[in-house]
Amino acid sequence: MATAAYLSKYFKRITIIESDDVLNDVFMKSTPSEILDYRCRLESPTSLGRSGVSQIYQLHGLQGEGYKILLELFPQLKDKLFNEYDVRTYSLKTDLRLAASGIILNQDLTEDFDWLGIDRFTLEIVLRREFCLKFSNQVEWKCNSRVTELIVDRSLNIVKGVKYRSKKNTGSSSLEIYGDFIIDCTGHNTSSPKWLKEKFNLIVPTIQIHYGCGYVTCIGERFRTGDPSLDSVAVIGSSVNSPENNFGFIITPMRTIDTTDHDSLGILATLAINCVNSEYPPNDSYENLLEWAKENLDQEYYAVLKSIKV
Ligand SMILES: Cc1cc2nc3c(=O)[nH]c(=O)nc-3n(C[C@H](O)[C@H](O)[C@H](O)COP(=O)(O)OP(=O)(O)OC[C@H]3O[C@@H](n4cnc5c(N)ncnc54)[C@H](O)[C@@H]3O)c2cc1C
């Protein structure tokens, strides 16, 4: 969507071919609290019609520059997130505590950045609604449609279009679409290297890296740990530093919540434990994750985990 929004300055008509049913009522009409319910009750993305982004429920950090770009492309986005979704931003200098090998990284920054406290699932939905409002006349969506092949002109060495197939009518023949400028935004499972090899015998250099990464993400309300250095910050994180330290931890707000409980920090947060080097945190129950965290994480991160109501 960011690519299409950016290209809208240069192209009169844009077509997005998307294999998921992303314009269905769940994504386009649900209220902010219904979206939160979907996310918190862990209704699988596939059952909601979003199987194409398997990492959609994982904790994502949005780079500061990426956030700025989104605000430029969608000027109403910030107000909408703040006013309707109880989202807010946090100062990278004062509201975060990010560490690597025990050293706090963010306190001596010369420039401050906003950190957007939101989950990827909600951001994607709100972004798409903004996108549809802003570009309804310029952008056409072909949802439930899967790109299957490139249409090329070998003599000119160009890709002229793509073939795509509707997922609803599985037996139907494939359709063709042509364009002046074609971008593959299909993410990490892209077939482009395979297609370019088939059509042009072009070999795109790729390197396969096996780094054995495991991620566990949960959602919960943050409560006081009793340690002011932890309770005063909204985002707490520690990066992996393999091979000495294969475990990383991050917790970041996804919404603010109204509460009368004095011990609550008023933050609904996503937390993630990520491991590399084929070390994997348990994901069968929060109790087991806590046991594991007690053994493997710094005690302060364990204290944060223990104080959370998932
Ligand atoms: C566990 C995990 C944690 C991560 N954490 C971070 C993080 O903290 N920060 C960060 O910046 N990145 C993170 N990433 C990486 C990030 O998720 C990806 O880089 C990002 O999603 C790529 O975006 P994209 O738009 O290119 O592709 P995607 O988000 O993968 O979207 C691809 C789209 O193409 C559609 N599609 C796929 N194939 C076809 C087809 N043949 N025809 C039509 N449509 C198709 C899909 O349905 C989907 O909508 C993480 C990834 C994982 C797995």
Side-chain angles (χ1 to χ4, degrees):
M1 282 183 288
T3 307
Y6 183 76
L7 291 176
S8 67
K9 290 185 241 171
Y10 306 101
F11 292 88
K12 265 201 210 126
R13 292 227 32 94
I14 294 171
T15 306
I16 299 178
I17 305 175
E18 166 55 58
S19 61
D20 284 345
D21 192 12
V22 291
L23 299 187
N24 73 20
D25 285 355
V26 167
F27 297 120
M28 297 309 282
K29 298 204 174 137
S30 300
T31 61
S33 63
E34 282 168 343
I35 293 171
L36 187 58
D37 276 353
Y38 285 130
R39 177 63 190 88
C40 290
R41 279 194 268 114
L42 291 180
E43 195 145 347
S44 85
T46 304
S47 70
L48 300 175
R50 192 75 178 112
S51 56
V53 186
S54 50
Q55 71 276 30
I56 199 163
Y57 280 173
Q58 291 293 351
L59 186 151
H60 275 67
L62 174 64
Q63 277 79 0
E65 199 59 33
Y67 177 50
K68 273 198 221 156
I69 291 171
L70 289 184
L71 294 186
E72 274 166 34
L73 295 171
F74 304 101
Q76 314 299 325
L77 182 67
K78 188 173 175 184
D79 280 351
K80 198 146 280 182
L81 291 175
F82 278 43
N83 299 334
E84 295 176 25
Y85 291 82
D86 299 323
V87 163
R88 54 161 286 203
T89 49
Y90 299 87
S91 152
L92 204 67
K93 263 188 175 179
T94 56
D95 297 326
L96 278 75
R97 192 173 184 278
L98 298 176
S101 303
I103 297 165
I104 308 286
L105 301 173
N106 58 301
Q107 59 196 6
D108 296 323
L109 288 172
T110 48
E111 192 188 333
D112 202 1
F113 297 92
D114 278 342
W115 175 281
L116 183 65
I118 194 171
D119 60 297
R120 177 182 168 148
F121 180 70
T122 307
L123 180 62
E124 187 192 285
I125 293 172
V126 183
L127 211 55
R128 193 174 298 105
R129 291 180 186 181
E130 283 303 291
F131 181 90
C132 289
L133 277 178
K134 193 169 168 194
F135 298 109
S136 61
N137 295 325
Q138 200 179 353
V139 177
E140 185 191 353
W141 287 81
K142 292 188 185 298
C143 294
N144 270 316
S145 300
R146 204 169 171 73
V147 175
T148 53
E149 207 180 311
L150 303 180
I151 303 169
V152 306
D153 184 326
R154 274 206 186 92
S155 59
L156 292 176
N157 214 22
I158 57 165
V159 178
K160 296 192 304 179
V162 295
K163 290 190 181 181
Y164 65 98
R165 207 179 276 278
S166 162
K167 279 166 65 181
K168 273 192 179 152
N169 312 318
T170 37
S172 64
S173 54
S174 67
L175 301 158
E176 297 185 349
I177 186 165
Y178 293 82
D180 297 324
F181 194 59
I182 297 158
I183 300 195
D184 175 355
C185 294
T186 58
H188 64 294
N189 282 328
T190 175
S191 298
S192 280
K194 187 182 94 189
W195 291 333
L196 291 169
K197 167 94 177 59
E198 276 167 15
K199 301 287 181 182
F200 297 112
N201 202 22
L202 180 72
I203 297 169
V204 179
T206 53
I207 299 177
Q208 208 166 32
I209 304 173
H210 296 276
Y211 58 101
C213 177
Y215 241 85
V216 174
T217 294
C218 319
I219 292 177
E221 182 177 351
R222 273 190 70 192
F223 282 83
R224 285 178 207 288
T225 60
D227 177 344
S229 72
L230 299 171
D231 297 342
S232 62
V233 284
V235 183
I236 302 167
S238 164
S239 67
V240 296
N241 184 18
S242 180
E244 286 81 27
N245 172 23
N246 291 328
F247 314 127
F249 170 81
I250 182 152
I251 182 159
T252 171
M254 55 188 276
R255 297 206 184 181
T256 55
I257 41 179
D258 279 335
T259 171
T260 50
D261 188 333
H262 177 69
D263 285 329
S264 169
L265 296 180
I267 290 175
L268 191 64
T270 347
L271 70 93
I273 292 176
N274 62 311
C275 301
V276 294
N277 244 354
S278 302
E279 305 250 19
Y280 300 103
N283 64 359
D284 50 347
S285 71
Y286 198 66
E287 289 70 32
N288 285 346
L289 187 68
L290 271 181
E291 274 303 303
W292 178 92
K294 197 174 178 180
E295 299 273 304
N296 293 289
L297 294 183
D298 280 357
Q299 285 313 291
E300 51 187 7
Y301 304 128
Y302 172 64
V304 174
L305 279 170
K306 221 170 59 160
S307 66
I308 282 168
K309 212 186 255 175
V310 284

